[in-house]
């Protein structure tokens, strides 16, 4: 297009602008649209003319400066119009807002487009070697301010929409219409602010404005990862920004942080030394004879004391670092309730373990019969008891099972009575048998003199005369004495000719003469 044609388009636009001053309503809108279309055509030709090597610098400069004046006027008009439309829409009812919102949003988008095209005007002037640094700086400040305002408005609309949507979940179906209307209104704002912010951010990048935070807000709103968002310039700016923030934070906080870490380590080291000292003192204290504490109780007191020291030290150390312990303690309380419901059986075992600690029905090394299991206690914890059976099986029995049933402790007392029963024949001598029993018990050094052994005739059985033989022995000798004594009795009875009868019965048959004759008749002849 020639220079004359550019002038012609410019004059036509001036005429239309003068005509528009006397028009209203739809006719004004039509003329304004025509002016806009002609201006877009003019800008396209100006761009082509600037790219040509033989362009008329003075002419193009005057045309573009005229463009900048027009756009400054349009920007001020749009800003004034937006303010008045915003005031009007805020006074309107919610139903009227949706209708008035459409031109308002169109105006917001037009404002962003005007900023983009005004920047292009300044860029053209720079190509023509016109110094526009001062104007461009002022323009960049205004654009950055508008971009941040648009970002804030977008963020507000998003938060408000989320709040309204959260209220919808708890409302009946008949009460949601008004909120849904408000959500629709906010969604239109979100779409408009997102579109406008995207245009402003693109223009801001050309002006070397840091738009990383703005693009982040835009990504949250739209969820779109555009090419610009992943461009090297934005990524580089993001990395540099994060690095600068981290460097600033580290310089500010590193002395205090190093001191806090040092204090944390120092407190835990002191706690460890104190725990070892406490453990040594308590081990000696709980073994005092007058306390008569079981091994389990001794281990429990020492272990819990050490753990309490570490827990208190950890809380103090965390407070020194700067952690607020109030929510931590509150969280532990809530977690304790939840865990309590989830681990009811475990807590029952724990409570039973505490009862075993307090009442001490047995200790490690005792021979017990509990929960249908018999053996030696090898270990007791607050949750379960480990029992080693005599055939060397290891059983872990829950403490609640043991505490809720009868517990037989066969080694609780230091002295036990061995109950044995021996039988002799009715034809054998009772005094002789008694003398044998007395000699066997007297010869065994493990049998205690006091209390004295009991040797008595107990019952007259069907096949034997039964004696009870009950010597007293130390608990550790119980099984050995019972087995050795039984062996010795058998050997002495054999040597002395005393029988150990086994169950027997004499059967007598009474037959009548008629039955005898019948039996004889049935017998075969000899």
């Amino acid at each position: 297009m020639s220079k004359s044609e550019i002038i012609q388009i410019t004059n036509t636009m001036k005429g239309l602008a003068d005509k528009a001053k006397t028009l209203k309503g739809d006719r004004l809108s039509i003329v304004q649209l025509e002016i806009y279309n002609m201006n877009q055509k003019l800008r396209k030709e100006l761009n082509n003319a600037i790219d040509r090597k033989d362009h008329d610098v003075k002419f193009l400069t005057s045309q573009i400066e005229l463009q900048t004046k027009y756009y400054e006027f349009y920007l001020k008009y749009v800003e004034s119009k937006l303010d008045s439309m915003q005031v009007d829409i805020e006074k309107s009812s919610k139903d009227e807002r949706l209708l008035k919102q459409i031109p308002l949003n169109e105006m917001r988008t037009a404002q962003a487009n005007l900023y983009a095209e005004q920047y292009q005007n300044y860029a053209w002037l720079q190509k023509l070697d016109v110094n526009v640094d001062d104007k461009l700086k002022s323009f960049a400040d205004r654009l950055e301010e508008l971009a941040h305002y648009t970002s804030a408005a977008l963020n507000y609309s998003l938060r408000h929409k989320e709040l309204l949507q959260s209220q919808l979940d708890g409302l009946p179906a008949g009460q949601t219409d008004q909120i849904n209307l408000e959500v629709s209104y906010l969604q239109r704002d979100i779409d408009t602010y997102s579109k406008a912010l995207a245009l402003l951010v693109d223009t801001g990048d050309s002006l070397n404005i840091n738009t990383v935070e703005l693009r982040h807000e835009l990504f949250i709103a739209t969820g779109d990862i555009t090419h610009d968002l992943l461009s090297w310039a934005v990524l580089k700016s993001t990395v540099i920004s994060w690095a600068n923030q981290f460097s600033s934070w580290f310089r500010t906080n590193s002395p205090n942080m190093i001191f806090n870490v040092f204090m944390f380590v120092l407190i835990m080291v002191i706690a460890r030394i104190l725990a070892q000292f406490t453990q040594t003192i308590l081990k000696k204290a709980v073994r005092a004879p007058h306390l008569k504490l079981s091994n389990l109780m001794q281990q429990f007191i020492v272990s819990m004391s050490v753990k309490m020291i570490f827990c208190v030290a950890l809380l103090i150390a965390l407070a020194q670092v700067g952690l607020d312990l109030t929510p931590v303690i509150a969280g532990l309380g809530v977690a304790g309730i939840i865990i309590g419901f989830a681990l009811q059986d475990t807590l029952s075992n724990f409570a039973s373990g505490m009862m075993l600690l307090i009442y001490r029905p047995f200790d490690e090394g005792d021979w017990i019969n509990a929960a249908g299991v018999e053996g030696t206690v090898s270990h007791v914890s607050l949750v379960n008891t480990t029992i080693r059976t005599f055939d060397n099986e290891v059983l872990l029995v829950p403490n609640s099972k043991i505490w809720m049933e009868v517990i037989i402790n066969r080694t609780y007392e230091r002295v036990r009575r061995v109950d044995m029963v021996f039988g002799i024949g009715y034809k054998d001598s009772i005094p002789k048998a008694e003398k044998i029993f007395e000699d066997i018990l007297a010869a065994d050094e493990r049998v205690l003199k006091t209390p004295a052994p009991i040797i008595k005739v107990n019952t007259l059985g069907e096949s034997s005369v039964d004696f009870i033989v009950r010597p007293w022995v130390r608990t550790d000798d119980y099984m050995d004495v019972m087995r050795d004594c039984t062996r010795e009795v058998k050997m002495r009875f054999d040597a002395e000719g005393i029988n150990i009868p086994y169950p027997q019965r004499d059967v007598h048959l009474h037959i009548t003469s008629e039955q005898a004759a019948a039996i004889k008749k049935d017998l075969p002849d000899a």
Side-chain angles (χ1 to χ4, degrees), residues 208-385:
N208 295 323
I209 296 174
N210 187 357
T211 60
V212 174
E213 183 178 350
L214 298 174
R215 288 193 179 277
H216 176 69
E217 291 292 338
L218 187 60
F219 172 68
I220 293 176
T222 63
D224 294 332
I225 302 178
T226 62
H227 173 74
D228 291 335
L229 183 65
L230 294 180
S231 66
W232 168 246
V234 175
L235 291 176
K236 181 181 178 181
S237 177
T238 303
V239 173
I240 293 174
S241 176
W242 288 348
N244 291 335
Q245 292 176 9
F246 176 78
S247 177
S248 176
W249 174 85
F250 186 78
R251 284 195 302 269
T252 304
N253 296 281
S254 57
N256 188 43
M257 182 175 62
I258 293 172
F259 176 76
N260 288 339
V261 172
F262 171 75
M263 290 300 299
F264 181 89
V265 175
L266 179 62
I267 291 172
M268 296 309 297
V269 170
I270 294 174
R272 181 177 179 82
I273 295 172
L274 182 60
Q276 291 177 345
F277 176 76
T278 304
Q279 186 177 19
T280 303
I281 297 298
L282 285 178
K283 281 184 177 179
K284 294 180 180 179
V286 297
R287 291 174 183 172
H290 64 279
L291 293 179
K292 297 181 180 179
L293 298 176
S294 64
N295 291 334
L296 178 59
M297 181 62 79
Q298 294 175 19
Q299 295 177 8
F300 176 76
I301 293 174
V302 174
S303 176
M304 290 305 296
S305 299
V306 172
K307 290 177 181 177
M308 283 297 295
I309 291 174
F310 275 110
C311 288
V312 173
L314 181 60
L315 292 177
I316 296 174
L318 291 175
Q320 178 62 37
V321 171
L323 179 66
D324 185 7
L325 298 181
T326 303
V328 175
I329 295 173
L332 289 176
V334 175
I337 296 174
I338 297 173
I339 293 172
F341 281 107
L343 303 177
Q344 294 183 32
D345 294 338
T346 302
L347 293 178
S348 175
N349 292 328
F350 183 85
S352 299
M354 292 298 298
M355 299 302 290
L356 294 175
L357 277 175
I358 295 170
Y359 288 99
R360 299 185 301 169
F362 55 81
D363 201 354
E364 293 181 356
D366 287 351
W367 171 14
I368 67 168
N369 187 331
V373 177
E374 185 167 4
T376 303
V377 178
S378 61
H379 178 70
V380 182
S381 69
L382 289 176
V383 179
N384 55 54
T385 299

Side-chain angles (χ1 to χ4, degrees), residues 399-437:
N399 285 336
S400 59
K401 298 282 186 181
I402 295 177
W403 181 250
M404 297 300 294
E405 296 187 10
V406 177
I407 302 172
I408 302 174
N409 190 338
R410 303 192 186 279
T411 55
Y412 186 82
E413 296 291 346
R414 297 177 62 187
V415 176
R416 285 189 62 188
R417 189 183 69 187
V418 183
D419 291 355
M420 297 177 287
V421 178
F422 299 102
I424 65 173
Y426 275 92
K427 295 181 180 181
D428 295 322
S429 171
I430 291 177
K432 186 177 181 181
E434 291 176 339
K435 183 67 170 59
I436 293 173
F437 294 142

